[in-house]
Amino acid sequence: NCTNDAAKNWGEARAGYLNAWIDRWTNIISKMKEKGYNTAEMEAVVSDAQSKLIPALEAIKNAATPGLRKTAMENARHLHLHLWARFEIARLNSYLKSIEANATAAGYGSDVDAIKAKLAEASKLAPSVKRYGPGEFETTWKVIKDATQMLRELNKKLKK
């Protein structure tokens, strides 16, 4: 019984953690909107999170046995990883779209194309319909980080 209570409490803490991510994403969207970025892609991810993640969190809270709770927590974790990757890709796409015309006009069209290709690769690695296998999320995260670095480099070139 004590172990079951601890697992239930941990599940509820996990649910709180995942809800905090939705709040964080909403704040990022608000700040980006204020700066004039197109946030439609990010808003779609938050909408998905609210429609898919919240029921997954309820499954954690309402699991009748430790085994069901563990499965529900693992399902919520994978869903969160997919949503997180999709949100980061959408955020980078939003920023890229905001500088694309200036970058192309400045002669950096090939940089824009390379970043788009990297983000497309990340999108293919982050489908929301399957579980990540060993190392797959790390690969997805690396591609997202690479795209972020490429975008930073492009931004530096534009500021010269």
Side-chain angles (χ1 to χ4, degrees):
N1 192 19
C2 185
T3 306
N4 193 31
D5 287 343
K8 188 173 184 177
N9 290 341
W10 192 87
E12 288 175 7
R14 178 80 178 167
Y17 169 78
L18 296 174
N19 275 321
W21 271 99
I22 292 173
D23 292 341
R24 182 175 187 259
W25 292 338
T26 302
N27 289 335
I28 290 170
I29 290 169
S30 295
K31 288 177 184 173
M32 288 184 75
K33 262 188 177 176
E34 287 172 11
K35 294 178 181 179
Y37 293 100
N38 179 339
T39 59
E41 251 186 285
M42 292 180 284
E43 290 172 26
V45 174
V46 169
S47 179
D48 270 0
Q50 290 168 331
S51 68
K52 295 176 183 172
L53 194 55
I54 292 172
L57 299 177
E58 288 301 313
I60 294 170
K61 289 181 184 178
N62 298 328
T65 66
L68 290 174
R69 187 171 300 106
K70 182 178 178 181
T71 299
M73 287 190 304
E74 191 62 20
N75 290 341
R77 184 176 85 78
H78 280 277
L79 180 58
H80 173 247
L81 292 175
H82 287 297
L83 290 165
W84 177 85
R86 283 183 46 219
F87 185 85
E88 289 302 313
I89 293 164
R91 189 169 63 88
L92 294 171
N93 269 323
S94 177
Y95 186 72
L96 181 61
K97 286 175 187 172
S98 76
I99 65 169
E100 182 175 6
N102 289 341
T104 302
Y108 298 117
S110 61
D111 291 302
V112 170
D113 292 342
I115 295 167
K116 284 181 178 180
K118 190 60 77 172
L119 291 172
E121 179 185 351
S123 292
K124 287 178 186 169
L125 292 170
S128 59
V129 295
K130 72 172 191 78
R131 286 177 166 250
Y132 283 110
E136 287 181 333
F137 179 74
E138 291 78 7
T139 301
T140 304
W141 172 231
K142 183 186 179 325
V143 172
I144 292 169
K145 282 179 22 179
D146 290 347
T148 302
Q149 186 59 37
M150 292 166 71
L151 199 50
R152 281 189 188 121
E153 292 299 321
L154 176 58
N155 202 32
K156 285 179 188 174
K157 290 177 185 178
L158 291 173
K159 289 183 178 182
K160 285 183 181 178

